[in-house]
């Protein structure tokens, strides 16, 4: 049987659009009613009596079920779930609304002149709105990056892929092997405790990426986490201000970006406060 020859009773598989360690994602169409396009994420793993069903599979479904009740416009919609055992293989199928591009693709198609500031403002307002909703429901996404931020043809921003997401309490010690490296907060890199502010750092990286690049320099010793296995070195202290690679940022843009990328997570802005920041509220 070929990779795309299988068919759920309600969906016609059209093409494979993604692949991961445990399965694939397909573009599909409903065969009844609206015949809308959907994304079918099919995960499978061999049964292991010692470990059972991987926790990330259970966690992703549980968190999506928790979030879907509120039908937030900036969270990708989960439409259907099915799970079954076939020949000692656990098969989990998640059906989502179909969005034809992610933020990486969106950026690759942008003009050489870059994105308009109004577009950047709209993207970040929707991204922070989604994060505020997620964090209000005590969830950390833990893998926020352009590949996991979807952009619809109508400009709607939707956070997707909750495979690494977790329910959190204050400053719990969690695995450091989360968040794609380029978007990973310093406290995660330093194996320190962390909370929802890790998502804000990732959002700040995305914000900077919308403008191209930015260097934020080395932190001071007072901001270095005490529990880190990596000791702070005074030799890291900067001798002069970091060169700004984005000299054309307005005061409001620079202020919000700096608050997202504060090295100390306690000084990092929250998604709720970001939504009230002048950059996102002023016309």
């Amino acid at each position: 049987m070929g990779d795309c020859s299988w068919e759920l009773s309600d969906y016609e598989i059209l093409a494979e659009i993604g692949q991961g360690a445990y399965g694939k994602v397909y573009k599909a169409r409903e065969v009844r009613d609206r015949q809308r396009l959907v994304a079918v994420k099919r995960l499978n793993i061999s049964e292991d009596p010692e470990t059972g069903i991987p926790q990330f599979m259970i966690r992703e479904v549980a968190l999506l079920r928790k979030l879907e009740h509120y039908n937030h416009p900036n969270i990708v919609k989960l439409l259907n779930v099915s799970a079954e055992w076939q020949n000692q293989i656990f098969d989990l199928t998640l059906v989502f609304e179909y969005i034809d591009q992610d933020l990486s693709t969106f950026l690759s198609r942008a003009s050489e002149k870059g994105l308009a500031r109004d577009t950047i403002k709209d993207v970040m307002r929707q991204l922070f709105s989604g994060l505020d909703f997620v964090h209000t429901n005590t969830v950390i996404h833990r893998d926020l990056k352009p590949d996991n931020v979807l952009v619809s043809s109508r400009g709607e921003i939707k956070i997707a892929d909750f495979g690494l997401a977790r329910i959190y309490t204050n400053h719990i010690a969690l695995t450091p092997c989360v968040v794609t490296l380029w978007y990973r907060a310093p406290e995660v890199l330093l194996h320190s405790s962390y909370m929802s502010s890790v998502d804000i750092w990732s959002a700040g990286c995305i914000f900077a990426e919308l403008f191209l690049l930015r260097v934020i320099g080395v932190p001071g010793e007072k901001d270095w986490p005490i529990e880190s296995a990596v000791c702070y070195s005074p030799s890291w202290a900067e001798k002069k201000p970091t060169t700004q690679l984005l000299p054309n940022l307005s005061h409001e843009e620079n202020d919000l970006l700096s608050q997202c990328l504060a090295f100390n997570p306690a000084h990092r802005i929250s998604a709720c406060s970001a939504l009230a920041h002048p950059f996102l509220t002023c016309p």
Side-chain angles (χ1 to χ4, degrees):
M1 183 176 292
D3 285 342
C4 290
S5 60
W6 63 275
E7 178 179 326
L8 298 176
S9 59
D10 294 330
Y11 305 99
E12 174 193 0
I13 302 305
L14 302 176
E16 179 184 325
I17 56 176
Q19 184 170 349
Y22 292 97
K24 298 179 179 180
V25 181
Y26 301 91
K27 179 180 180 180
R29 180 187 288 113
E30 291 179 326
V31 297
R32 303 173 186 170
D33 302 326
R34 298 169 57 185
Q35 294 195 336
R36 61 182 168 180
L37 294 175
V38 296
V40 176
K41 183 176 183 178
R42 199 178 193 209
L43 305 171
N44 51 69
I45 190 167
S46 299
E47 180 181 7
D48 185 343
E50 296 295 324
T51 60
I53 301 170
Q55 283 296 310
F56 81 89
M57 289 186 177
I58 299 173
R59 188 183 302 137
E60 181 171 15
V61 174
L63 291 179
L64 286 167
R65 284 296 196 195
K66 172 184 171 70
L67 298 176
E68 73 167 327
H69 173 73
Y70 301 96
N71 195 31
H72 194 278
N74 301 123
I75 305 297
V76 67
K77 290 180 176 58
L78 177 66
L79 305 175
N80 194 13
V81 179
S82 66
E84 61 181 343
W85 292 100
Q86 288 187 345
N87 300 322
Q88 294 188 320
I89 298 293
F90 178 70
D91 188 356
L92 175 66
T93 302
L94 308 178
V95 180
F96 297 93
E97 62 177 326
Y98 178 74
I99 307 294
D100 62 356
Q101 66 179 339
D102 57 31
L103 189 57
S104 290
T105 305
F106 179 76
L107 290 174
S108 71
R109 295 172 176 171
S111 163
E112 292 182 0
K113 296 180 180 179
L115 298 178
R117 275 175 161 76
D118 284 348
T119 300
I120 294 175
K121 181 181 297 189
D122 185 47
V123 168
M124 294 309 300
R125 185 186 293 116
Q126 293 188 66
L127 182 58
F128 280 125
S129 179
L131 280 181
D132 180 43
F133 167 73
V134 167
H135 293 166
T136 298
N137 282 276
T138 65
V139 172
I140 319 177
H141 187 280
R142 303 202 306 174
D143 196 20
L144 197 64
K145 57 184 178 180
D147 292 357
N148 291 338
V149 177
L150 306 181
V151 186
S152 78
S153 57
R154 296 184 295 276
E156 300 162 322
I157 299 298
K158 294 177 181 285
I159 299 173
D161 201 339
F162 285 78
L164 287 178
R166 282 286 303 274
I167 299 288
Y168 73 90
T169 55
N170 287 340
H171 295 284
I172 52 177
L174 296 169
T175 173
C177 299
V178 296
V179 189
T180 298
L181 185 59
W182 294 350
Y183 304 88
R184 193 176 298 174
E187 60 268 29
V188 182
L189 289 168
L190 295 171
H191 295 202
S192 182
S193 61
Y194 61 85
M195 50 191 301
S196 58
S197 49
V198 299
D199 290 339
I200 301 299
W201 176 277
S202 301
C205 293
I206 292 172
F207 188 21
E209 195 166 345
L210 297 180
F211 286 109
L212 292 182
L213 290 172
R214 184 174 194 242
V215 172
I216 62 171
V218 179
E221 186 171 5
K222 64 182 176 62
D223 287 329
W224 200 258
I226 297 174
E227 70 271 27
S228 173
V230 180
C231 295
Y232 185 85
S233 171
S235 65
W236 295 344
E238 293 188 78
K239 304 300 188 296
K240 58 183 179 180
T242 302
T243 301
Q244 296 293 318
L245 296 183
L246 292 171
N248 295 325
L249 258 61
S250 69
H251 171 73
E252 290 80 9
E253 292 163 346
N254 188 69
D255 183 68
L256 177 56
L257 186 55
S258 298
Q259 291 192 62
C260 288
L261 296 179
F263 181 87
N264 189 332
H267 299 159
R268 219 167 286 156
I269 196 170
S270 68
C272 181
S273 296
L275 288 169
H277 191 276
F279 172 62
L280 297 181
T281 56
C282 294

